[in-house]
Amino acid sequence: MTKEEIKTRNLDTLAKHQKKLCREPELRQLFFELTLKCNEHCFHCGSSCAGDLPHGLPMDTYKEVIDEVAAKYQKKPLIAVTGGEPLLYPDFFPLMEYVRDKGFRWGMTSNGTLITKEVARHLKEAGMKSISLSIDGLPETHDRYRGLKSAYELGMRGIQNLVDLECFNVMVTTVVNHENIRELDALFEIFDKMDINEWRLTGLEPIGRALDRPEMLLTPEDNRRLMEFILEKRAQKLPVEYSCCHFLGLKYEAEVRDWYFLCNAGIYVAGILVNGDVCSCLDIPHNEKTIQGNIHETPFTEIWENRFEIFRTPLSERNSTCAACPEAKWCRGGAYHSWDYEADRPKVCMKGILFD
């Protein structure tokens, strides 16, 4: 069989499996949006954090959710904490120690600026297994994007403090845009000398604050350049990969990342927002279609098991162009975070860019 035939067979198998997951979802990741407060002001923030925004739910409420999930499911999901900057949540360490003591694995996303050696040791003691930290360019670029002087220096210090303990899966994430794509080679030289587990690249998406900066979005040529950059580094057996976003076509699927496209929203992933609203991936726009309930009104596990219909039916069925596309059985309309829920169409589609 040719590589294209093998990929086609694998994608067909995955499409069948996804149909089964829509009938029988499996909670593998549960996100807690612990706070909207952040010490950075990133121009591309998907959460649109701004101003004097609140912390999340009281610690006892999160504990109740943890107890509920532990009692309901024998196979415990990974608890993923995010924000804002999750380390700003007042009860961060007592909460995560409770998560650990209940037998859950947990990880978080962070800008890294608050991770001193002492904080890194405390994260180890609290049982953290994995972390995604953001570096979006060389020092001047990163600081400008993040709206914080010394953000690069502090973030890199945080990464090194974690690496030094040799007990975490440390992933560095870079949001690639039309400007910083030219710095990828220089960033690679830096990260290649550090003992990180993975460097994940994702394109700037037309969501959150990035909607105000359309000139920073990747052009078709930028997207092709990004794929070729990742292919080149992976050919050298280096831990660089593209994010989970978007179906990429047969040339790039299972080449720039280890797996085939599958949007996990609502079939593997759920999230609880700072106000108790239940959604899926926290990057997905929050609206009456994507919010599935609130834990103050309905138990989380009841919402997970009985709602999420929009996430368990193909987005492609909501748009005639998508429905008629030959790749619809594999793409299903694309990623939920980049869907236009008012116009019912994808904001990002790689057809015509990465494949015909």
Side-chain angles (χ1 to χ4, degrees):
M1 298 179 70
T2 66
K3 179 180 284 191
E4 184 172 301
E5 288 171 335
I6 292 171
K7 289 185 177 184
T8 297
R9 181 189 63 185
N10 290 343
L11 284 163
D12 285 344
T13 300
L14 180 59
K16 292 178 182 178
H17 180 62
Q18 188 169 18
K19 289 181 179 179
K20 181 176 183 294
L21 285 172
C22 289
R23 298 189 303 269
E24 303 171 16
E26 178 185 335
L27 185 63
R28 292 188 178 182
Q29 277 190 305
L30 176 56
F31 280 84
F32 288 165
E33 187 181 49
L34 291 185
T35 182
L36 290 181
K37 294 184 183 297
C38 190
N39 61 328
E40 294 188 333
H41 308 283
C42 310
F43 87 89
H44 58 272
C45 181
S47 299
S48 294
C49 299
D52 188 21
L53 295 175
H55 289 305
L57 305 169
M59 181 171 62
D60 286 345
T61 303
Y62 288 118
K63 286 182 176 181
E64 290 171 4
V65 174
I66 289 295
D67 292 345
E68 176 191 348
V69 172
K72 186 74 173 182
Y73 303 120
Q74 185 175 5
K75 187 175 181 180
K76 297 182 176 69
L78 172 77
I79 302 299
V81 293
T82 185
E85 171 52 52
L87 286 169
L88 292 175
Y89 181 70
D91 294 314
F92 179 87
F93 282 109
L95 174 60
M96 302 325 296
E97 288 162 359
Y98 187 83
V99 170
R100 174 203 63 197
D101 292 344
K102 283 292 182 175
F104 288 82
R105 295 174 301 114
W106 70 272
M108 75 168 175
T109 60
S110 171
N111 60 42
T113 61
L114 303 178
I115 301 179
T116 61
K117 290 183 181 295
E118 180 181 3
V119 169
R121 286 194 297 269
H122 205 165
L123 290 169
K124 177 181 178 180
E125 293 165 359
M128 186 179 76
K129 300 301 181 186
S130 61
I131 184 168
S132 172
L133 304 110
S134 304
I135 297 292
D136 291 323
L138 297 173
E140 187 277 331
T141 300
H142 182 78
D143 288 4
R144 176 161 46 87
Y145 290 171
R146 297 270 158 178
L148 177 69
K149 186 178 180 180
S150 300
Y152 178 90
E153 177 185 353
L154 294 171
M156 292 294 283
R157 179 200 65 178
I159 293 170
Q160 192 59 55
N161 288 337
L162 293 163
V163 168
D164 288 345
L165 291 181
E166 300 182 338
C167 62
F168 308 112
N169 185 288
V170 178
M171 178 174 72
V172 175
T173 298
T174 298
V175 178
V176 183
N177 61 55
H178 183 59
E179 180 182 82
N180 71 355
I181 192 170
R182 65 177 69 104
E183 297 184 357
L184 290 183
D185 285 298
L187 285 173
F188 174 79
E189 293 301 320
I190 294 169
F191 296 138
D192 190 39
K193 294 179 174 64
M194 302 176 70
D195 192 22
I196 62 173
N197 299 91
E198 180 182 338
W199 183 28
R200 178 173 289 193
L201 303 176
T202 187
L204 179 66
E205 302 283 81
I207 58 176
R209 289 180 183 170
L211 290 170
D212 298 328
R213 299 291 302 278
E215 77 282 1
M216 298 294 279
L217 297 175
L218 295 177
T219 65
E221 178 56 34
D222 290 337
N223 275 296
R224 291 188 286 268
R225 179 181 174 187
L226 176 58
M227 295 301 118
E228 292 301 316
F229 173 85
I230 298 173
L231 277 182
E232 174 190 330
K233 301 309 179 187
R234 287 174 66 86
Q236 302 171 38
K237 307 300 183 183
L238 300 169
V240 183
E241 69 176 28
Y242 186 66
S243 70
C244 58
C245 304
H246 315 306
F247 177 73
L248 306 175
L250 291 179
K251 179 179 179 180
Y252 295 112
E253 283 294 330
E255 302 290 343
V256 295
R257 55 192 174 208
D258 293 338
W259 62 91
Y260 294 93
F261 173 71
L262 173 67
C263 186
N264 293 331
I267 54 175
Y268 284 143
V269 175
I272 299 177
L273 304 180
V274 289
N275 63 351
D277 281 347
V278 176
C279 64
S280 185
C281 168
L282 299 185
D283 285 335
I284 295 172
H286 308 149
N287 56 52
E288 61 182 9
K289 295 179 181 178
T290 60
I291 298 300
Q292 303 301 297
N294 189 289
I295 62 170
H296 295 304
E297 301 167 357
T298 309
F300 165 75
T301 55
E302 182 177 326
I303 296 172
W304 170 254
E305 293 182 356
N306 298 315
R307 301 183 190 176
F308 282 83
E309 181 180 357
I310 190 173
F311 299 106
R312 295 168 188 169
T313 55
L315 285 170
S316 55
E317 294 181 1
R318 308 172 70 90
N319 180 282
S320 58
T321 301
C322 286
C325 177
E327 286 78 25
K329 60 180 178 178
W330 302 331
C331 173
R332 296 170 60 87
Y336 278 83
H337 73 272
S338 58
W339 186 261
D340 185 331
Y341 291 89
E342 293 184 6
D344 268 334
R345 60 176 180 81
K347 293 182 178 180
V348 178
C349 179
M350 294 300 178
K351 189 177 181 69
I353 298 175
L354 301 181
F355 62 99
D356 296 326

